[in-house]
């Protein structure tokens, strides 16, 4: 079975902190994605990566950065967390020409 | 323009009845894929069903079927014989091929509540 693992289910951070959300997949997928999910807004793409060290901005990249140093790992970084970044964060991966995206279990981040 | 539109924020259905969740999409590609995912309150995204744009028959997976109407650009999910465990958020999604590989676009979701 494909496994996409996010490092934390729940996270509470203070305003201004630097926050790292980690995602690891075990299926040698080329593509990895970070989405943010908010009620009424669905899933919005923050960043995606199609290869090691490659990244592309999604629809809402402001306030976020990403890192992909190894194929299996894709990190989302909140440089200086703010309360409006309180949300559910979902990582996903797929093959370059894959027909399906596989999701991690999600991280509920609260910034206080 | 929205790639995926789900116009039903919330739906209710009686247990054992069938329910249709609406989804329309917007693309100029000839080759694309359509998905439905289920998200229970625990938060994980569960893949339900897939329809390729060249598939002539509607996809079915157990109690789930995808009513694919290409000309109308709609991909409605039909759940037959609803169960209490079907209460969840449901997301419609579309896969498109971009220069950097496949991209997945999601709708805003429909919250389904199954009433005993």
């Amino acid at each position: 079975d494909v496994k996409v693992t996010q490092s934390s289910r729940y996270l509470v951070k203070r305003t201004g902190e630097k926050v790292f959300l980690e995602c690891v997949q075990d299926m040698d997928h080329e593509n990895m994605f970070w989405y943010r999910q908010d009620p009424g807004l669905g899933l919005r793409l923050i960043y995606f990566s199609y290869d090691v060290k490659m990244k592309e901005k999604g629809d809402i990249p402001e306030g976020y950065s990403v890192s992909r140093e190894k194929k299996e790992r894709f990190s989302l970084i909140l440089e200086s967390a703010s309360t409006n970044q309180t949300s559910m964060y979902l990582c996903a991966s797929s093959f370059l020409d894959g027909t399906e995206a596989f999701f991690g279990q999600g991280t509920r981040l609260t910034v206080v | 323009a929205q790639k995926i539109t789900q116009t039903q924020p919330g739906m209710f259905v009686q247990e054992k009845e069938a329910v249709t969740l609406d989804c329309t999409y917007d693309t100029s590609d000839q080759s694309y894929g359509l998905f439905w995912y289920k998200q229970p309150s625990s938060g994980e995204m569960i893949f339900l069903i897939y329809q390729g744009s060249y598939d002539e028959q509607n996809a079915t997976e157990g109690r789930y079927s995808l009513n694919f109407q290409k000309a109308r650009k709609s991909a409605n999910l039909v759940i037959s014989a609803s169960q209490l465990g079907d209460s969840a958020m449901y997301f419609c999604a579309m896969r498109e091929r971009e220069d950097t590989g496949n991209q997945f676009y999601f709708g805003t979701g429909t919250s389904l509540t199954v009433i005993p």
Side-chain angles (χ1 to χ4, degrees):
Chain A
D1 274 357
V2 174
K3 197 143 191 184
V4 181
T5 305
Q6 294 182 229
S7 52
S8 305
R9 287 296 301 269
Y10 300 94
L11 214 49
V12 180
K13 295 291 181 181
R14 295 196 180 279
T15 302
E17 274 193 79
K18 190 168 186 175
V19 181
F20 293 86
L21 303 184
E22 306 285 346
C23 176
V24 177
Q25 50 93 5
D26 66 358
M27 276 301 290
D28 204 34
H29 285 163
E30 294 90 356
N31 284 2
M32 295 188 75
F33 309 86
W34 274 107
Y35 292 92
R36 171 178 170 158
Q37 182 184 358
D38 298 289
L41 297 178
L43 277 71
R44 294 179 292 166
L45 183 65
I46 305 172
Y47 268 97
F48 71 95
S49 169
Y50 54 91
D51 202 351
V52 175
K53 297 190 187 295
M54 304 305 289
K55 60 186 179 186
E56 292 284 338
K57 292 180 180 178
D59 300 319
I60 51 163
E62 296 79 18
Y64 304 94
S65 62
V66 289
S67 171
R68 193 164 180 203
E69 296 297 318
K70 293 185 178 181
K71 191 175 185 180
E72 67 269 21
R73 186 180 297 269
F74 192 35
S75 303
L76 180 69
I77 304 154
L78 285 67
E79 297 290 342
S80 176
S82 64
T83 54
N84 62 14
Q85 292 178 310
T86 291
S87 188
M88 172 73 131
Y89 290 87
L90 289 161
C91 175
S93 70
S94 77
F95 287 114
L96 201 64
D97 291 313
T99 57
E100 183 184 341
F102 297 86
F103 282 86
Q105 75 275 34
T107 297
R108 290 190 186 274
L109 172 67
T110 303
V111 182
V112 298
Chain B
Q2 290 288 334
K3 292 271 190 182
I4 296 287
T5 302
Q6 294 180 254
T7 57
Q8 306 155 314
M11 290 279 287
F12 292 87
V13 64
Q14 204 76 38
E15 194 178 5
K16 299 179 185 175
E17 297 290 312
V19 63
T20 298
L21 306 185
D22 294 341
C23 173
T24 57
Y25 60 92
D26 182 26
T27 182
S28 55
D29 287 2
Q30 296 301 308
S31 177
Y32 52 90
L34 297 156
F35 305 79
W36 279 90
Y37 286 85
K38 173 184 178 181
Q39 187 183 45
S41 56
S42 54
E44 76 269 30
M45 295 284 278
I46 301 167
F47 166 77
L48 294 179
I49 196 165
Y50 168 78
Q51 178 90 37
S53 57
Y54 293 119
D55 296 340
E56 294 186 354
Q57 294 205 330
N58 287 343
T60 59
E61 289 284 349
R63 293 185 299 110
Y64 304 108
S65 60
L66 198 152
N67 185 0
F68 181 44
Q69 297 188 43
K70 199 168 183 176
R72 296 181 59 190
K73 293 190 175 178
S74 76
N76 298 341
L77 177 70
V78 180
I79 306 174
S80 63
S82 297
Q83 301 172 356
L84 296 178
D86 293 335
S87 293
M89 281 291 289
Y90 289 81
F91 290 97
C92 179
M94 177 174 66
R95 168 188 53 80
E96 274 189 330
R97 185 74 166 96
E98 308 281 347
D99 291 341
T100 49
N102 284 332
Q103 282 302 311
F104 297 87
Y105 300 94
F106 289 82
T108 52
T110 296
S111 176
L112 178 67
T113 303
V114 181
I115 304 165

